[in-house]
Amino acid sequence: MAEPDHAPTRIHLTFDLPPKAAADLAASGHPTTSTADVDGSKEDRRQALVAAAPGASAIIATVSDLVDAEVMDAAGPGLRVIANYGVGYDNIDVAAAHDRGIVVTNTPGVLDEATADLAFALLLAGARRVVEADRFVRSGAEWSWEPDFFVGLDVSAGATLGIVGLGRIGFAVARRAAAFGMRIVATGSRASSSEAAALGVTPVELPELLATSDVVTLHCPLTPETHHLIGAPQFAAMKSSALLVNTSRGAVVDEDALLEALLEGTIGGAALDVYEHEPRVTAGLLALPNVITAPHIGSAGIATRERMGAVAVENALAVLGGATAPNPV
Ligand code: 8YV
């Protein structure tokens, strides 16, 4: 039988790992290949991955990489693990991977605080109109102080925060909200736990959360059940002053319905880190002063990204070494 033209333990990366994680991987002695220099659409990246996958034993990928059955079949039967650099893994066809005996892993826990920090930054910026105010000052417009100048929501005066999906990141957001004196309502199985009660969280169903919250923040994973969880009927159920914060996945929100709700004044504003058709943003949102946008930077802390890299590498190496992955999904 002919020898394979790739080393059997080759690890393919779709991006450049942070320095310490890259050093850990190099020290493992596994040969690596990379498509980090491929720019373009998700489809361009997927095609590049299909081309580079043959012979790979592991793929370490990001949210921008659609790792589907075609990629797995291109890799061939030697592919043993797909290690996602991130906690959300909706970019990977997990069922197809499991059908092929491929382990899929993610990086839970290490990015909770960073993501919660960004959610809270967006919450505060949206509530107190910080980005709008910044734009105003930079415009060079004449101004003098007025009592109603850029007034917004008083976050610390008992405003209600609705956390959709009280999981690891949701809890990290709840801890911040509790410190700000917010009233907290939340959905999710852990919303009724003693840990949630200790933070003053009231468990509610989604309709009550939507009707009572001044700020609605999304922290559920994207699954078939949560796709478009927040659409026109849900916006209609929210306060007309409500701010929507999304640091989870764009497609949890029906982005066309969001634009409509903002244009009609059905809700008060949105502060977004993620988009339904990422990296494209629905035309119209960018023109609205009450919309804040960030380019999917929830976990973009220097130390957090190192930890994500370390966890992704640890998972890939564990599987290649014949051990159980610490974070299988
Ligand atoms: C990452 C994220 O930046 O972990 C997640 O689910 O959305 C982000 O923290 C992204 O996944 C990188 O792959």
Side-chain angles (χ1 to χ4, degrees):
M1 212 171 115
E3 287 292 308
D5 57 354
H6 297 284
T9 54
R10 179 169 65 87
I11 298 176
H12 183 77
L13 291 143
T14 63
F15 63 105
D16 292 324
L17 282 166
K20 288 199 201 78
D24 286 352
L25 186 57
S28 77
H30 287 274
T32 59
T33 49
S34 171
T35 39
D37 57 353
V38 174
D39 292 325
S41 67
K42 283 189 176 169
E43 180 53 21
D44 293 338
R45 290 178 66 98
R46 195 189 69 85
Q47 293 290 352
L49 193 48
V50 167
S57 297
I59 294 174
I60 305 183
T62 76
V63 68
S64 303
D65 302 303
L66 301 172
V67 188
D68 60 8
E70 190 184 351
V71 171
M72 297 171 204
D73 291 338
L79 181 62
R80 291 159 66 190
V81 55
I82 300 163
N84 206 41
Y85 179 79
V87 67
Y89 49 86
D90 47 282
N91 53 311
I92 299 171
D93 187 340
V94 176
H98 289 171
D99 282 349
R100 290 160 177 75
I102 301 165
V103 177
V104 179
T105 67
N106 69 344
T107 64
V110 294
L111 46 77
D112 301 347
E113 302 302 331
T115 307
D117 283 346
L118 188 82
F120 228 79
L122 290 174
L123 182 161
L124 289 171
R128 295 298 305 276
R129 305 172 61 183
V130 174
V131 177
E132 212 183 324
D134 175 81
R135 273 195 220 106
F136 172 79
V137 174
R138 287 170 197 271
S139 77
E142 292 279 321
W143 64 280
S144 63
W145 187 91
E146 299 288 345
D148 61 353
F149 205 36
F150 282 99
V151 290
L153 174 70
D154 283 306
V155 172
S156 300
T160 297
L161 176 64
I163 301 176
V164 178
L166 189 67
R168 281 181 297 259
I169 297 171
F171 265 106
V173 171
R175 287 194 293 276
R176 286 155 178 76
F180 271 73
M182 297 184 85
R183 180 176 169 262
I184 310 166
V185 295
T187 65
S189 57
R190 290 174 66 195
S192 306
S193 64
S194 54
E195 191 189 356
L199 283 170
V201 174
T202 303
V204 292
E205 297 299 325
L206 185 60
E208 185 179 344
L209 182 150
L210 295 172
T212 58
S213 296
D214 297 298
V215 180
V216 174
T217 185
L218 307 180
H219 298 290
C220 52
L222 175 62
T223 64
E225 291 72 39
T226 63
H227 182 263
H228 285 191
L229 180 70
I230 308 297
Q234 288 71 35
F235 290 124
M238 288 165 67
K239 293 185 181 182
S240 59
S241 57
L243 171 71
L244 176 74
V245 176
N246 192 7
T247 55
S248 62
R249 283 293 181 269
V252 173
V253 175
D254 177 343
E255 214 166 273
D256 288 337
L258 172 62
L259 177 60
E260 176 99 4
L262 289 163
L263 288 171
E264 304 272 312
T266 311
I267 66 167
L272 310 169
D273 186 43
V274 289
Y275 307 91
E276 184 169 2
H277 307 290
E278 207 167 298
R280 183 169 72 71
V281 181
T282 292
L285 287 175
L286 299 177
L288 297 178
N290 50 348
V291 173
I292 295 173
T293 55
H296 201 144
I297 56 170
S299 64
I302 295 168
T304 298
R305 287 283 161 84
E306 276 289 3
R307 286 194 290 268
M308 290 163 65
V311 173
V313 167
E314 187 188 2
N315 275 284
L317 295 182
V319 176
L320 295 184
T324 304
N327 307 107
V329 302

